[in-house]
């Protein structure tokens, strides 16, 4: 059984709309940045945790994309330029 993944080990990618989880046959999980498909500034598989990213956009339904009065605790917020 796979262990849970938290923001400490993944960073912004965990709540980013551009992130895609890729799992291989042995059960290893990798975080793929789909922005890399169209923008060469991004790497396909970034080194984790990603703490700042100019391409970060909160995924729909992630705590960072919910309004402040929705009861969501904390916000990753968009990263600024490196």
């Amino acid at each position: 059984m796979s262990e849970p993944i938290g923001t400490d080990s993944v960073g912004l990618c965990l709540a980013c709309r551009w992130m895609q989880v890729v799992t291989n046959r042995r059960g290893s999980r990798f975080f793929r940045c789909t922005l890399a498909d169209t923008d060469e500034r991004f790497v396909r598989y970034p080194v984790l945790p990603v703490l700042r990213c100019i391409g970060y956009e909160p995924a729909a339904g992630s705590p960072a994309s919910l309004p402040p009065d929705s009861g969501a605790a904390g916000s990753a917020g968009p990263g600024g330029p490196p």
Side-chain angles (χ1 to χ4, degrees):
M1 190 157 132
S2 59
E3 56 189 72
I5 296 175
T7 54
D8 290 344
S9 60
V10 179
L12 290 175
C13 295
L14 193 61
C16 184
R17 74 174 287 213
W18 303 111
M19 183 275 301
Q20 174 185 21
V21 177
V22 177
T23 306
N24 68 12
R25 284 185 249 172
R26 296 191 303 186
S28 296
R29 288 179 284 184
F30 302 92
F31 290 80
R32 182 176 180 277
C33 178
T34 59
L35 267 179
D37 295 343
T38 57
D39 191 330
E40 63 186 31
R41 294 177 300 167
F42 299 93
V43 294
R44 194 168 280 144
Y45 294 97
V47 176
L48 302 176
V50 173
L51 303 177
R52 296 171 72 189
C53 180
I54 60 172
Y56 173 79
E57 291 181 37
S62 74
S65 69
L66 298 174
D69 61 354
S70 67
S75 172

